[in-house]
Amino acid sequence: MEPLSGEASLIEVIQTTEAISKILRRYINIGRIREGRYDVTRLQDEISALSQPLEPLQKLLHDRIPTQTGPSQGLLDDITKCAATLSRLQDEIEPKAAQSLLSRWEFQPWKWPLEEKEAENVIREIKRYNSLFWLSLMLNQTQSLNLLINQKIDIRWLHIAKGAAFNDPDNQQIECLPGTQVELLGKIGHWVKTPNEKCLFWLSGLAGTGKSTIARTVSSSLERQGVLGASFFFRSGEQERGNAKLLFPTLARQLGDTIPQLTPNIQHAIRNDPEISARGLEEQFQKLILEPLNELNLARSRATILIVIDALDECSQDDDVRDILELLPRLQESCSVQFRFLLTSRPDLPMKLGLQGATDNHQHLIIHEIPHSVMEHEIRVYLNHKFLWLQQERDLPADWPGEKTINTLVERTAPSFISTTTLVRFVSDDSGNAAERLEAILSDQTNYATNMEGTYTLILNQLLTNEDEEKPRQLIHEFQNTIGILILLATPRSVDSFAKLLQMETDKVQEQIKLFYPVLDVPARSDEPVQILHLSFRDFLLDKKQEEYPFWVDESLVHKKLAAQCLKVMQDPKYGLRKNICNLQNEITPRVNIDKDTLSHCLPSELQYACRYWVHHLVQSHNPVDELAEVLPFLQSHFLYWVEAMSLLGFLSEVVGMIQRLRSLTIETYNDQTLSNFVSEARSFIIRNRQIADTVPLQLYSIGLIFAREDSMIRKTFESERSTWSLVPTVRERWNGHISLFRLVAFSPDGQLLAFSSEDHTVKLWDHRTGELRQTLKGHTDWVSSIDFSLDSQLLASASFDDSIKVWDTQTGELCYTFWGGVDEIYSVTFVSDDQLLGSSENNTVKIWDLYTGEMRVVCS
Ligand SMILES: Nc1ncnc2c1ncn2[C@@H]1O[C@H](COP(=O)(O)OP(=O)(O)OP(=O)(O)O)[C@@H](O)[C@H]1O
């Protein structure tokens, strides 16, 4: 049957339901029937229920979305049969003309023509069509989403640490000045390329001796030669670079770019576990790097690939560092690639880990310390170069600054490259006189190498001199509102984005940044992030011992300000969050189809920052009572928009953690029951909808809300946002918690149990309240692809790629039934009612099993 005839039959169904509805009303209002009144009312209810799926069905038949497979033949047949049933019913109940006339003039009640049994049969039939139509609608939506999801698994889905790779715009860009560190760079280059060398080269050195700069220079040079596989630069205090959680996903994604043949294997790992970025270090390493590499079969001989990991001491957990050191050498197992690892850290880290002096015993390690004499030489080269340039640029005397001055500076700064650089930046800053500034340094007797604070005090105090009384006060005020905030950002921002986040004028921020040039790394482009040159500056400003110092920054206060500002930015009526912020035409548009330009246009950088870090700043604040008071109104008005934005940005996996931290904070500091309840519910909502929202964000407003409990605050609050297209009014609570698309987790409708399908082909049932493991359902021999609870929560059905559907008793864990699907893998199972199961297989065949008779029937294929 052609789709057109299906559409024509559907129009017939729509018209006939309307006609029957009218007739039934006449029986009640005009005909004043005595017998059968109960049947007429029930029939009227069913006809009205049947009319509900007809409009979306018509839409489905008429304007199909191109990615969808279209209505099945089974559905078209059902529509035709339904039209025939309704037409027969209409004929049977149409009042005869005589009866109709009589009732008008003689006040005779009409006679209802159907026997009770006949009415019962027709009601059952109409009910059946109603649920088949709804199922077809749901199935259609599910199929198209599944299709999109499977097509679009992409390595870009891996959640990686922003700014961690050496060439990421959020990383510092400074490399070794040509002519410096020549020997060491040569040594590293030689080690990388020499076969049979040890695989680990560990460069250690004191703070600010230039290790990161060397690591960046090596990365850049070896990238040009095609040898760099990946890099990760830790940076303490930053949300993603301050720990190892995203180390292996970040390395994996870069390795996928360097070795394209690796990409499908990594994609396979992501498909198997879309949450892999949230797993433990060893699992991430195994699934994202080791296994994909072991499956690689490169024809050419073993290529050498370098992985650079900088500032291991800035990774917050020593245990993680130990794990990293255990795991990395295992990559030597790869037959296709020969790995080299360049690591850097302060000298105390190898000592802490018990590796110091182990060079001979530890076959994988070379620990290289940069000797003091070498550093003196490097710093002399640097000073000579910079001062020569300055002397020429500023037209200073030819003998300026003189060898003696250079010697003094080398003596006072070596081996600290950072103090040398900071002082040189201070002297060469065009806002002052270079010669006078150099004089100020020389007259100060501080040893800058051992006293970094001395360097910063000198520079900051200089800003306060030669000004009238009011100016320093204003300068400090402005400093606190810009640099004081900038140093505590969770990730670096460009001037533009920073100004918008703080709702300040860009020019004002620019002015301040200029003043603090000696301690900031300011990129040439205004859309690239400004960072502090060295973390020691931040430590200096936050040092509690300095509380009296005017430049001291009150960390907690700044976090409070940032949290409040983030909430404000997200709620801005014009530029803040709203439903469908990217103006997507279609609510089943997958996230990966949204291009970067659209995202950054609709979610500008400051809004992105606010979405990701508002909880971080709240948590870092001390006792943020006032700020927490703003959270409930924010969640009540913007929760779904925020989740949508996080999905669009690919950070949905962070939302659960954020909600969790918010929950702990609320309990600790702000005892508000409504907020606690909302946050708990928000957490369950995200867990339930994570997969679908991560794939097709706008489904939050349809599938997300439809399957939310009817009494849930989220459902009530956002009822008006619910999309009408997926309206499923007749399948309310039984769908609660059902995640048919991704079959990983399901809540029982009574809220008692949480079911998880595991990698070991079992399903585990947990007590939702106590967290206790209740049952482990063993029996499948392949991956479990879908799970669903019966409406009364007594049964759980699991479908598996082993081609079976099993039904379990949730109380005893006993296997009650096994149904076999036939030749195809079953990918979805759903309870249609407590005694009927619906399963669909990979070739889109849909079958229904009756749990009592064991009978199976194909609904559509
Ligand atoms: N060879 C070099 N050429 C030019 N500038 C350098 C060089 N080495 C270091 N610097 C400057 O010194 C600053 C500090 O160096 P770097 O951050 O590399 O030190 P580090 O040893 O990694 O410090 P930490 O142990 O504190 O992380 C750099 O930002 C850069 O400005």
Side-chain angles (χ1 to χ4, degrees):
M1 188 183 295
E2 292 299 309
L4 187 65
S5 63
E7 222 180 319
S9 302
L10 186 64
I11 292 171
E12 199 186 323
V13 171
I14 293 170
Q15 288 169 348
T16 323
T17 45
E18 280 166 10
I20 292 175
S21 198
K22 253 191 218 156
I23 296 171
L24 293 172
R25 268 203 307 278
R26 282 167 60 207
Y27 267 100
I28 293 172
N29 298 337
I30 307 172
R32 298 181 299 278
I33 47 164
R34 281 199 191 120
E35 282 171 24
R37 196 179 180 90
Y38 174 63
D39 290 342
V40 173
T41 322
R42 280 174 63 215
L43 196 54
Q44 199 177 28
D45 287 347
E46 288 312 321
I47 288 287
S48 137
L50 180 67
S51 65
Q52 291 192 44
L54 300 181
E55 199 186 321
L57 258 188
Q58 200 177 19
K59 199 167 152 58
L60 170 74
L61 297 188
H62 186 255
D63 50 35
R64 248 177 285 150
I65 300 155
T67 46
Q68 286 180 311
T69 47
S72 66
Q73 187 58 49
L75 168 65
L76 299 175
D77 288 348
D78 283 332
I79 294 172
T80 315
K81 283 185 204 154
C82 178
T85 304
L86 291 175
S87 161
R88 259 196 321 274
L89 175 66
Q90 185 184 1
D91 280 351
E92 281 173 32
I93 63 172
E94 187 83 72
K96 306 294 166 271
Q99 164 168 286
S100 184
L101 266 174
L102 267 178
S103 72
R104 246 178 237 183
W105 302 110
E106 296 180 18
F107 303 100
Q108 278 285 338
W110 288 6
K111 184 169 166 26
W112 172 243
L114 300 185
E115 293 291 325
E116 195 182 325
K117 206 161 184 115
E118 287 172 319
E120 190 61 49
N121 285 344
V122 81
I123 285 172
R124 199 173 324 120
E125 226 176 316
I126 291 170
K127 257 190 175 150
R128 200 173 67 91
Y129 286 124
N130 189 357
S131 57
L132 285 173
F133 292 163
W134 277 120
L135 284 169
S136 295
L137 282 171
M138 287 305 298
L139 190 71
N140 194 276
Q141 197 161 354
T142 305
Q143 281 171 341
S144 57
L145 291 173
N146 264 341
L147 210 74
L148 291 167
I149 290 154
N150 289 331
Q151 275 170 2
K152 297 293 175 185
I153 293 283
D154 193 302
I155 196 162
R156 283 177 299 153
W157 278 35
L158 261 187
H159 186 182
I160 60 165
K162 202 163 158 31
F166 92 94
N167 52 357
D168 189 305
D170 279 9
N171 197 332
Q172 262 186 346
Q173 305 296 316
I174 299 169
E175 291 183 21
C176 291
L177 180 77
T180 62
Q181 307 288 18
V182 178
E183 203 182 314
L184 184 52
L185 292 172
K187 196 169 190 163
I188 296 173
H190 180 260
W191 159 77
V192 172
K193 289 178 186 162
T194 310
N196 305 324
E197 270 288 359
K198 293 171 182 174
C199 75
L200 262 162
F201 189 111
W202 192 326
L203 179 66
S204 84
L206 294 170
T209 45
K211 302 175 297 293
S212 302
T213 314
I214 291 167
R216 239 183 329 265
T217 311
V218 170
S219 303
S220 152
S221 142
L222 290 187
E223 191 200 35
R224 285 194 296 275
Q225 298 171 38
V227 177
L228 182 77
S231 61
F232 193 101
F233 283 63
F234 282 103
R235 190 163 165 100
S236 118
E238 278 190 24
Q239 172 118 338
E240 295 180 341
R241 293 167 64 191
N243 55 66
K245 283 186 193 137
L246 295 176
L247 170 70
F248 291 124
T250 310
L251 294 181
R253 188 150 129 190
Q254 295 174 66
L255 284 172
D257 289 341
T258 320
I259 313 170
Q261 298 91 326
L262 203 58
T263 302
N265 302 351
I266 300 174
Q267 272 168 345
H268 184 73
I270 305 170
R271 186 175 298 125
N272 280 345
D273 183 0
E275 296 295 305
I276 186 71
S277 294
R279 305 278 176 241
L281 279 190
E282 183 161 359
E283 191 173 347
Q284 287 181 351
F285 173 79
Q286 189 95 16
K287 304 260 170 71
L288 286 173
I289 301 185
L290 190 62
E291 286 173 9
L293 269 166
N294 287 344
E295 283 159 25
L296 201 65
N297 201 358
L298 293 183
R300 62 195 171 95
S301 63
R302 256 179 120 203
T304 300
I305 291 288
L306 175 71
I307 292 183
V308 176
I309 303 183
D310 178 64
L312 269 173
D313 51 286
E314 294 187 35
C315 170
S316 59
Q317 305 280 335
D318 283 353
D319 283 347
D320 286 349
V321 177
R322 270 199 194 89
D323 287 346
I324 294 166
L325 292 172
E326 286 295 325
L327 294 169
L328 284 180
R330 286 175 55 194
L331 292 185
Q332 293 302 92
E333 293 165 19
S334 162
C335 306
S336 308
V337 183
Q338 172 171 291
F339 279 97
R340 293 274 193 270
F341 308 98
L342 172 65
L343 313 178
T344 78
S345 80
R346 303 252 176 106
D348 46 351
L349 185 70
M351 215 141 41
K352 244 199 299 184
L353 301 175
L355 294 170
Q356 187 75 333
T359 325
D360 296 335
N361 308 340
H362 199 297
Q363 69 171 55
H364 296 300
L365 198 66
I366 300 174
I367 293 192
H368 183 95
E369 292 235 27
I370 310 171
H372 189 82
S373 56
V374 172
M375 284 312 298
E376 278 188 343
H377 170 75
E378 303 305 333
I379 283 173
R380 191 182 302 281
V381 174
Y382 179 85
L383 285 170
N384 280 331
H385 176 93
K386 289 288 176 183
F387 280 124
L388 176 65
W389 173 83
L390 200 59
Q391 178 261 323
Q392 290 172 349
E393 207 228 21
R394 304 275 167 94
D395 242 354
L396 291 159
D399 58 350
W400 186 87
E403 203 181 331
K404 198 165 158 244
T405 303
I406 297 282
N407 284 341
T408 311
L409 288 176
V410 171
E411 218 173 275
R412 288 212 213 149
T413 55
S416 171
F417 234 117
I418 182 61
S419 51
T420 317
T421 322
T422 310
L423 292 174
V424 169
R425 288 168 77 96
F426 169 62
V427 173
S428 53
D429 185 359
D430 25 74
S431 63
N433 178 310
E436 279 175 15
R437 287 191 162 194
L438 184 57
E439 270 315 306
I441 293 172
L442 294 171
S443 59
D444 183 66
Q445 292 304 312
T446 309
N447 181 328
Y448 300 112
T450 53
N451 180 6
M452 233 3 242
E453 294 87 34
T455 318
Y456 297 131
T457 313
L458 174 85
I459 291 169
L460 295 182
N461 286 351
Q462 200 70 25
L463 288 170
L464 299 178
T465 55
N466 302 328
E467 303 278 1
D468 65 42
E469 231 178 69
E470 194 42 44
K471 279 258 169 90
R473 250 199 295 275
Q474 193 186 334
L475 186 125
I476 287 163
H477 175 75
E478 284 170 3
F479 165 86
Q480 293 288 357
N481 285 321
T482 47
I483 312 297
I485 295 179
L486 186 135
I487 61 164
L488 285 169
L489 289 175
T491 56
R493 300 280 95 192
S494 69
V495 173
D496 238 23
S497 158
F498 179 69
K500 284 186 183 137
L501 179 67
L502 295 184
Q503 297 178 313
M504 288 175 74
E505 286 166 32
T506 309
D507 290 351
K508 274 253 175 268
V509 178
Q510 267 315 358
E511 255 173 50
Q512 280 287 303
I513 281 174
K514 247 180 156 177
L515 280 181
F516 292 88
Y517 164 79
V519 286
L520 297 177
D521 175 18
V522 187
R525 286 177 45 173
S526 67
D527 59 347
E528 285 180 357
V530 179
Q531 307 189 46
I532 44 178
L533 201 59
H534 198 251
L535 287 181
S536 53
F537 181 57
R538 188 182 67 191
D539 298 343
F540 166 75
L541 295 176
L542 299 177
D543 188 355
K544 281 261 180 217
K545 292 196 291 291
Q546 308 253 33
E547 259 181 65
E548 299 303 312
Y549 189 52
F551 288 101
W552 176 71
V553 173
D554 182 341
E555 193 169 352
S556 170
L557 193 74
V558 171
H559 280 300
K560 279 183 185 176
K561 262 191 211 168
L562 277 167
Q565 208 51 45
C566 287
L567 286 171
K568 207 163 165 189
V569 166
M570 286 190 288
Q571 294 177 91
D572 186 286
K574 200 159 168 202
Y575 303 107
L577 298 172
R578 59 184 164 77
K579 182 180 173 186
N580 193 6
I581 195 158
C582 287
N583 301 318
L584 304 176
Q585 294 298 311
N586 194 323
E587 68 180 39
I588 64 161
T589 305
R591 170 164 74 82
V592 288
N593 278 11
I594 305 164
D595 62 81
K596 268 192 166 171
D597 290 347
T598 308
L599 269 184
S600 48
H601 175 72
C602 301
L603 282 149
S605 165
E606 65 282 3
L607 186 55
Q608 295 193 17
Y609 183 91
C611 287
R612 287 193 72 190
Y613 300 115
W614 65 278
V615 175
H616 165 76
H617 290 301
L618 266 181
V619 171
Q620 298 296 321
S621 321
H622 174 67
N623 211 12
V625 178
D626 291 345
E627 291 70 23
L628 277 170
E630 302 298 321
V631 170
L632 183 62
F634 163 72
L635 290 177
Q636 283 176 331
S637 55
H638 286 72
F639 171 68
L640 278 193
Y641 311 152
W642 170 58
V643 179
E644 179 200 327
M646 289 294 275
S647 318
L648 288 166
L649 295 170
F651 299 132
L652 196 67
S653 55
E654 289 179 16
V655 172
V656 178
M658 288 171 78
I659 292 282
Q660 194 77 34
R661 278 186 286 154
L662 188 63
R663 191 158 170 242
S664 314
L665 184 70
T666 312
I667 294 165
E668 281 161 24
T669 27
Y670 188 75
N671 212 356
D672 178 321
Q673 201 51 45
T674 322
L675 178 58
S676 291
N677 291 347
F678 198 103
V679 169
S680 302
E681 207 185 274
R683 185 172 167 275
S684 315
F685 182 87
I686 299 297
I687 291 175
R688 262 187 264 134
N689 295 293
R690 185 159 54 186
Q691 304 269 17
I692 184 69
D694 199 23
T695 317
V696 191
L698 289 185
Q699 286 299 314
L700 277 170
Y701 303 97
S702 45
I703 288 184
L705 286 177
I706 287 161
F707 296 152
R709 299 174 71 95
E710 280 203 47
D711 58 349
S712 96
M713 281 190 270
I714 292 175
R715 181 160 171 166
K716 281 184 194 151
T717 314
F718 293 95
E719 187 68 23
S720 60
E721 299 289 18
R722 193 170 75 183
S723 307
T724 48
W725 141 240
S726 347
L727 204 73
V728 191
T730 53
V731 282
R732 283 186 299 263
E733 292 193 278
R734 83 172 57 140
W735 296 92
N736 178 20
H738 172 69
I739 302 184
S740 61
L741 296 180
F742 296 94
R743 65 262 175 181
L744 295 171
V745 57
F747 284 86
S748 62
D750 63 6
Q752 303 282 329
L753 294 172
L754 197 55
F756 284 100
S757 61
S758 307
E759 286 167 14
D760 59 2
H761 312 154
T762 66
V763 177
K764 292 193 165 57
L765 294 180
W766 301 81
D767 187 311
H768 176 41
R769 288 176 201 166
T770 62
E772 182 194 331
L773 178 63
R774 286 275 195 84
Q775 307 289 349
T776 300
L777 311 177
K778 289 185 192 159
H780 284 299
T781 53
D782 203 338
W783 283 79
V784 172
S785 54
S786 175
I787 48 180
D788 194 29
F789 281 99
S790 61
L791 180 58
D792 61 8
S793 305
Q794 297 300 312
L795 299 173
L796 180 124
S798 55
S800 161
F801 290 154
D802 66 11
D803 190 27
S804 74
I805 289 180
K806 292 186 187 293
V807 182
W808 315 81
D809 184 314
T810 54
Q811 296 306 310
T812 62
E814 263 172 31
L815 176 63
C816 309
Y817 310 94
T818 299
F819 299 112
W820 295 98
V823 280
D824 299 300
E825 290 175 338
I826 298 166
Y827 72 83
S828 166
V829 67
T830 304
F831 272 96
V832 184
S833 65
D834 280 346
D835 54 8
Q836 283 199 320
L837 265 183
L838 178 132
S840 51
S841 64
E842 203 157 42
N843 71 352
N844 295 332
T845 302
V846 177
K847 295 168 180 174
I848 286 187
W849 283 270
D850 188 313
L851 294 186
Y852 290 113
T853 62
E855 272 177 21
M856 182 269 288
R857 123 179 151 93
V858 176
V859 179
C860 49
S861 61

